[in-house]
Amino acid sequence: MNRLRFLRSPSPAPRPLRFAYAVPWRVDRSTSPHLRLVNTGRQTLSGVTVSIAGGSRLRVSAPSSVQPGEAIRASVTGPDPARDTVLVVRWFPPDGREYLWQISL
């Protein structure tokens, strides 16, 4: 009589521990509807873009790269931006990963 032996597969290798990435932006709303998005991180952010979703309009001066302490200026106009509009900021830190951050107005 053959005895079957059931072997468990080895456990997968543990995944490297990754910490959450702190968003390196601060929104200065003190001159609303003109906003400043300040790079509060320690790294230069590249490929920075700002886009809008909703019923408002956006004017932005977004340089391709933003140094620590520098800011992007954006103006949002519309009937009720707080109700129906969000900004989406996209950037790449030096490690090359892409990040998106949504800002409710």
Side-chain angles (χ1 to χ4, degrees):
M1 181 161 135
N2 286 346
R3 292 190 126 192
L4 296 176
R5 227 173 123 176
F6 294 99
L7 300 176
R8 289 187 329 169
S9 62
S11 300
R15 296 169 98 181
L17 185 61
R18 287 179 45 190
F19 294 98
Y21 177 72
V23 173
W25 298 105
R26 178 179 53 82
V27 181
D28 177 359
R29 301 170 192 258
S30 64
T31 58
S32 187
H34 309 290
L35 308 171
R36 290 180 63 238
L37 305 171
V38 182
N39 177 358
T40 58
R42 296 184 198 159
Q43 301 174 323
T44 298
L45 306 175
S46 62
V48 178
T49 60
V50 180
S51 56
I52 195 165
S56 297
R57 299 183 72 183
L58 171 68
R59 286 187 313 169
V60 66
S61 63
S64 176
S65 294
V66 181
Q67 301 291 326
E70 290 184 340
I72 297 171
R73 298 181 191 287
S75 295
V76 178
T77 56
D80 193 2
R83 179 175 283 258
D84 68 354
T85 303
V86 294
L87 292 180
V88 179
V89 183
R90 174 184 176 246
W91 72 94
F92 296 89
D95 69 6
R97 293 184 182 176
E98 178 184 33
Y99 289 92
L100 299 171
W101 185 44
Q102 180 176 309
I103 302 166
S104 298
L105 300 172

